[in-house]
Amino acid sequence: MAQFDVHRNKGPLKASIPFVVLVQSALFDRYRRRMVVPLVLRSALPGQMATVGSRMNPLFQVEGMAVVLHPLDMVSVALNQLGEPVGSLAEQGQAITDSLDELLSRSWG
């Protein structure tokens, strides 16, 4: 299990949020939970959500599906609640980090 690995969502919203991406640093791998960010189906978002494709909500392709990173719904998940890994967004890790930076440090004001 590595940072930016994509896992299937086993939760009740899996129809609109088929995947989550692990964002937690490997420094905390000994902990029993992982911080994940939902990857929401682009088609499930209301209307033309203005922030899709922005620094805050980058768009990715996972298993042929257009999904949007939704950091405002970031959550801690128990290890046994993570679904199977389906891939990695490590090559897009900077976009994910930029999104979290936007959420945590750039949006103040």
Side-chain angles (χ1 to χ4, degrees), residues 30-52:
R30 293 169 64 179
Y31 190 61
R32 59 183 172 77
R33 300 183 68 83
R34 297 293 182 268
M35 290 301 298
V36 298
V37 178
L39 293 169
V40 181
L41 284 176
R42 172 65 181 102
S43 60
L45 293 171
Q48 295 296 319
M49 188 173 141
T51 60
V52 169

Side-chain angles (χ1 to χ4, degrees), residues 56-77:
M56 179 72 171
N57 299 109
L59 185 64
F60 302 108
Q61 289 287 324
V62 176
E63 293 190 340
M65 293 181 247
V67 292
V68 178
L69 188 74
H70 206 286
L72 287 172
D73 287 334
M74 183 168 43
V75 66
S76 172
V77 175

Side-chain angles (χ1 to χ4, degrees), residues 12-13 15-17 19 24 32-33 35 43 46 49 55 58 64 71 76 78 84 87-88 91 93 95 98 102 107:
L13 299 177
S16 60
I17 305 171
F19 309 106
Q24 182 172 311
R32 59 183 172 77
R33 300 183 68 83
M35 290 301 298
S43 60
M49 188 173 141
R55 184 172 186 213
S76 172
E84 68 177 291
S88 174
E91 289 187 16
D98 289 348
E102 186 79 6
S107 295

Side-chain angles (χ1 to χ4, degrees), residues 3-5 60 87-96:
Q3 188 176 42
F4 307 126
D5 278 358
F60 302 108
S88 174
L89 290 175
E91 289 187 16
Q92 291 85 17
Q94 189 60 55
I96 295 168

